[in-house]
Structures are given as C-alpha cells and as structure tokens.
Amino acid sequence: MSQIPHLIHGERIPGSGRHADVYNPSTGQAIHQVALADCATVQQAIDSAKSAFPAWRNTPPAKRAQVMFRFKQLLEQNEAQIVRLISEEHGKTLEDAAGELKRGIENVEYACGVPELLKGEYNRNVGPNIDAWSDFQPLGIVAGITPFNFPAMVPLWMYPLAIACGNCFILKPSERDPSSTLLIAELLHQAGLPTGVLNVVHGDKEAVDALIEAPEVKALSFVGSTPIAEYIYAEGAKRGKRVQALGGAKNHAVLMPDADLDNAVSALMGAAYGSCGERCMAISVAVCVGDQIADALVDKIVPQIQALKVGAGTCNGLDMGPLVTAAARDKVVGYIDDGVAAGAKLVVDGRGYRVAGHEDGYFVGGTLFDRVTPDMRIYQEEIFGPVLCIVRVDSLEQAMQLINDHEYGNGTCLFTRDGEAARLFCDEIEVGMVGINVPLPVPVAYHSFGGWKRSLFGDLHAYGPDGVRFYTRRKAITQRWPQRASHEAAQFAFPSNG
Ligand code: NAD
C-alpha cells in the first residue's frame, strides 16, 4: 500500500507516527495509508506559512492572479487523473467527479479576478483636505478543514481565493479520500506558487485541534458535519479567531400540484441519488402538496429508482456508486431499518444491494419512503445516503412551516408553475439557498454559498464576495494633508462636518 504524505514547504513529507487506511469503496479494499499529523507536524506547516507570508502579502495581486491562471490551466490538463482519484477513493461516478472538479475550477477563475476584487473604497474630501479609503488586507495564516464528499471542490472553495487575497493557507483535507486533494495542491505549486504559501497536513482531530489552538492561525474555514462545525466554531471563536463553519443539511423539495411532474421527477432523481446522496445539497425530502401529486410522484419515480445504474464509481456510464465507507453504509442501512420500525412506508428498499464482481463494495441501492412524518428520525436527521422520504401536506403554507421548523436550513427547492407561490417561497423560507424548479441551487462561484440555522456557524458565507470579505480585513484610513501655511487650533468638540 502506498503512503500518502503531507505537503509542507513544497515537499512531500512522509508521516512519522499514526496512519489511517484509505479504501476503495467499490471493492472494500484498503488501497493507501494516509499520514495523520501530530502537533509537531502541524507546527512545521505553520512555520513554513509564517516564513512565506511577508513576501506573499506584498506580491502584487496581479502577480498572485497570474499563478491562479496557470493553476486553472493545469487543473484542466490533469482532469482525467484528478477525476479518477476522486472516484477511486470516494466512490462517486467519473461524470460526477468531473462535475465537482469543474465547479471547483470556477472558484479558481473567480480568484483570477483578485486585483478587481481587492479594489478598496475611496472618498476624496470627507472633510477639509481629508481623504478616506478602505483597504482590504490579508489576515495572515488561515486554515481550512474539509469533508470527504467533495475532495476537490470544497478545498477549491477556500484556498485559491484566500491565497489570491494574500494569505498563506494550511489545508487539512478529509483523511478518507485525500489523494486528489494532494495532487491538486501540487499542481498549484507547479503553477508557480512560492513554497510555504499552501501547506497540506493530513490528519484527524489531533491535527484539527492543533490548528485551532495555534495562535498564528487567524481564521478557520470548516465544511463538514454539524457537530464538528459547532465544535470548531465555538473553540475557534473562543480563541479570537474568525471562523466560518458550514455544517450538515436536510434539504426539502416542495412539489406543488401544478408542477411539471416529468421534469420534477428527473430533477429529484439526480438530486436525491446523485453521488449516492452524499451531498450537503442533496434533496432528501420531497414534500408533496396534496395526495394527487404524491401518488403521481410515486408512480413515476419508482421505476426510475429501480432502473438506477449502480456500480463501481470508476466505470463509465453509471448513475450511482457506493457509499464512502463500510461505516457510512451501515449507518444508512440503520436509518432504513429505523424508518421501517417507525411506520414509514418503504416503497423501494436499497438494503442488501449487490453489484456483481464488487461483492465487498459499500453499496446501498436507491431507497424510497412514503408517508414519512416529522416525528421520525429519518425525517429529522441527515442520512447522507440514497434515501428519499416523501412527506404529504395539504398546502404550500404547511410545506413552508415544515421547512422553517427544521433545524437545518442549507438548501431547498420549489417545483411549480405559479409565480406567486414562487415569490412567497423565496421571501419567507428560512433557508440559505433556494431553487425554483432548480433542485440543487448551489450558487455559482461569483455568488456565495451558505446555509442558515444549524447548517452554518459564522457570519459570512463561503467563496464569492463573502469569501473575499472572510479572507481579508478592512482597514479604514483617513488622511489629511493640510496646506503648508495653515494652522489649525485644537478642537475639543467631536469632529464633524456640521
Ligand atoms: P466530518 O464532520 O466527519 O469531517 C469533516 C472534517 O472534520 C474532516 O476533515 C475530518 O477529518 C474532521 N474531523 C472529523 N472529526 C473531527 C473531530 N472530532 N474534531 C475535529 N475535526 C474532525 O464530515 P464528513 O463526513 O467528512 O462530511 C460529510 C458532512 O459534511 C455532512 O454532514 C455534509 O452535510 C457536510 N457537508 C456540508 C457542506 C456545506 O457546505 N454545508 C458541504 C459538504 C459537506
């Protein structure tokens, strides 16, 4: 088994202590070992970043952008290898991995515009001979901690923009599928990034805690499950750090009686079962307004779920691969058991799914529950698997109440042809990202991504304009150049233009 090293000061550094196995979820075989950093290794990365920061901070933004332009080209040139690595360790299909990479590259493209993004705000003559402006300066060393489900895209939400803004970055990727993440970081070095500006340390809680505790680390970007997001937000904020911590989700799609059902079913298939449901924006609840649309949905979607092409992620032409680990598969199966015990109607059962030739892979087939009620765990909790729950309600108001009462508020979607319903939904739904006839309303790179309620802790959303604000701090400068001959007497009243 090959060892996956850290990337510190531009060098591959083998781990000296603990390691974890990395599996191919399609076969159930351990294929690599990844180093798990201890505090000393994290400190090495911090020291490297510290040495790089003064020069990088003063590198003109246009030159920093040029590195990002070359990085984008290298990402495109190496797409096939990156996509294969994602698929091999995560299990998602090759096409899905390619989509994730493309959405990641969009964030690099956004970072290429950093000279424009960092333009300050300027006013001449805010008082007599006084000019004022705001400058957006880098924070210093910032760290990112990322989840397994987007090993390429989520790190690319963070460090291209942070680095383009003049920061040095330490990335702690998921230990479950770190190979594509490492390759991408190496490509950024090939693009001409000075050593120390980006360091990658693999690890688990020990490495994360070392980053939280290090006084040199000024900000933490986290994406992962809600309990860990809450922990990192609380511990980081306690130490005076800037933190944005994106957590878990339970995303509802509401189907109105006037929805274009064929298109809504296609959209739901992709949004519920794509990536085996392992997306924070996956639709896991279909809220049907009226029994008629619910019955029609079941009739149309069941044959499509039964026809899902499930197999080893690295094969072409599939709809769905396996779950990421045996533990993830067992957890999903546990939720299906729980839904049955709670009295939900199991319409399609994905338990015990076998893929010929991949009998040890972590597969669960597409699963559908009908007549799910809000008191059930399968409704309340994030399953993170290929399980769609149908909840039946009588009105749009009831559907919206259900969503607004849920503890998560990441994404949601309404299928309708009624503009009035759509406008009400957009106005009053307590969710951070809303789609109208768009099942996965993941904002493009020049907007910003983030949920509400227990789906995000912190003030600013990820990437886009909020990302620029998160990775910079405002300095407001007020400057006076009085005329040489003039003398001004001391003023004791608070200065104003009054
Ligand atoms: P996770 O919370 O288990 O892990 C995320 C990161 O935290 C990893 O790097 C992991 O090593 C680290 N970590 C794990 N346990 C830790 C601990 N005790 N202390 C400190 N760090 C720890 O999440 P995951 O299983 O990798 O990813 C799936 C979750 O991420 C889902 O809940 C999903 O909804 C969420 N997610 C959210 C978004 C979003 O934008 N809101 C995007 C992607 C994934």
Side-chain angles (χ1 to χ4, degrees):
M1 265 196 294
S2 65
Q3 306 276 327
I4 301 170
H6 309 293
L7 183 67
I8 299 177
H9 215 61
E11 303 272 330
R12 291 183 150 225
I13 306 288
S16 51
R18 293 183 306 127
H19 285 80
D21 287 341
V22 176
Y23 290 85
N24 177 338
S26 298
T27 63
Q29 302 298 309
I31 50 173
H32 305 295
Q33 280 203 318
V34 63
L36 300 177
D38 56 13
C39 292
T41 308
V42 171
Q43 192 57 47
Q44 253 181 291
I46 292 172
D47 292 343
S48 162
K50 222 163 131 180
S51 69
F53 180 60
W56 186 245
R57 174 191 194 278
N58 288 323
T59 300
K63 281 212 169 301
R64 301 199 295 246
Q66 283 164 10
V67 177
M68 293 300 157
F69 275 106
R70 291 192 291 270
F71 182 39
K72 167 184 153 63
Q73 280 178 338
L74 286 169
L75 288 169
E76 286 166 349
Q77 285 162 11
N78 288 275
E79 176 184 331
Q81 194 189 353
I82 297 168
V83 161
R84 189 183 52 75
L85 288 175
I86 296 173
S87 183
E88 205 168 84
E89 294 179 1
H90 176 284
K92 66 175 73 174
T93 67
L94 293 170
E95 293 82 355
D96 191 26
E100 128 160 46
L101 180 62
K102 287 201 177 75
R103 291 302 293 263
I105 291 173
E106 286 177 15
N107 290 89
V108 181
E109 290 166 353
Y110 185 73
C112 289
V114 81
E116 174 73 20
L117 299 172
L118 289 180
K119 266 184 186 167
E121 298 158 352
Y122 181 85
N123 281 94
R124 183 172 172 272
N125 279 345
V126 295
N129 298 318
I130 300 176
D131 305 326
W133 71 94
S134 286
D135 193 15
F136 294 94
Q137 302 196 339
L139 306 174
I141 304 175
V142 301
I145 297 136
T146 51
F148 81 86
N149 65 327
F150 286 108
M153 182 182 77
V154 170
L156 290 174
W157 284 359
M158 299 177 180
Y159 67 77
L161 191 54
I163 286 173
C165 288
N167 298 285
C168 290
F169 201 93
I170 300 174
L171 176 66
K172 205 302 285 168
S174 171
E175 65 279 30
R176 290 184 228 163
D177 49 8
S179 292
S180 62
T181 322
L182 183 67
L183 171 62
I184 291 173
E186 289 185 320
L187 292 177
L188 182 51
H189 285 83
Q190 269 182 44
L193 191 77
T195 48
V197 177
L198 173 66
N199 293 285
V200 180
V201 288
H202 301 290
D204 53 11
K205 181 172 167 47
E206 185 176 346
V208 175
D209 283 343
L211 289 167
I212 295 173
E213 279 159 28
E216 298 94 333
V217 175
K218 303 299 179 199
L220 299 163
S221 289
F222 171 85
V223 176
S225 60
T226 287
I228 310 296
E230 276 175 318
Y231 169 76
I232 288 177
Y233 182 73
E235 293 301 314
K238 204 193 283 176
R239 290 166 178 78
K241 293 185 203 297
R242 189 178 282 197
V243 189
Q244 64 180 185
L246 283 67
K250 192 82 182 174
N251 305 311
H252 301 64
V254 179
L255 274 81
M256 294 291 282
D258 68 350
D260 172 344
L261 191 59
D262 286 327
N263 280 323
V265 169
S266 299
L268 279 179
M269 285 299 297
Y273 301 110
S275 206
C276 212
E278 289 174 318
R279 292 179 183 145
C280 67
M281 291 290 276
I283 293 291
S284 48
V285 184
V287 186
C288 293
V289 178
D291 281 330
Q292 211 177 342
I293 189 101
D295 293 340
L297 170 64
V298 173
D299 286 348
K300 279 189 189 284
I301 204 167
V302 166
Q304 296 195 30
I305 299 171
Q306 287 164 339
L308 276 169
K309 285 178 262 160
V310 184
T314 43
C315 300
N316 282 311
L318 295 172
D319 298 324
M320 211 171 90
L323 288 152
V324 68
T325 55
R329 177 203 51 205
D330 296 345
K331 186 172 157 205
V332 171
V333 168
Y335 273 113
I336 301 174
D337 295 343
D338 197 84
V340 173
K345 183 175 172 199
L346 184 58
V347 186
V348 185
D349 184 357
R351 292 174 294 184
Y353 197 95
R354 294 277 171 274
V355 173
H358 291 88
E359 284 73 14
D360 295 328
Y362 310 135
F363 295 98
V364 174
T367 297
L368 181 71
F369 277 111
D370 192 5
R371 300 193 181 275
V372 173
T373 52
D375 54 308
M376 296 178 184
R377 273 184 65 224
I378 55 166
Y379 173 75
Q380 292 162 354
E381 297 176 16
E382 182 181 44
I383 299 177
F384 226 54
V387 181
L388 180 64
C389 296
I390 297 177
V391 178
R392 295 171 179 237
V393 296
D394 296 327
S395 65
L396 176 61
E397 287 69 23
Q398 257 185 34
M400 288 173 59
Q401 192 63 52
L402 198 64
I403 297 171
N404 289 348
D405 286 346
H406 204 285
E407 63 172 337
Y408 294 121
N410 215 38
T412 187
C413 162
L414 178 72
F415 291 102
T416 186
R417 289 191 175 103
D418 179 345
E420 191 184 339
R423 194 159 189 278
L424 176 77
F425 192 76
C426 292
D427 271 358
E428 295 192 5
I429 207 72
E430 298 268 320
V431 173
M433 292 171 282
V434 181
I436 302 298
N437 300 316
V438 173
L440 294 176
V442 176
V444 289
Y446 38 99
H447 285 257
S448 295
F449 181 108
W452 286 11
K453 299 186 278 187
R454 291 187 73 226
S455 292
L456 184 143
F457 303 88
D459 303 312
L460 291 168
H461 288 198
Y463 69 73
D466 271 18
V468 177
R469 287 290 176 266
F470 184 77
Y471 292 123
T472 56
R473 47 184 180 168
R474 176 188 289 267
K475 186 175 277 179
I477 298 160
T478 308
Q479 178 171 268
R480 162 183 270 178
W481 290 106
Q483 305 215 329
R484 269 171 212 277
S486 67
H487 170 76
E488 282 151 27
Q491 248 194 48
F492 296 96
F494 200 69
S496 78
N497 272 323

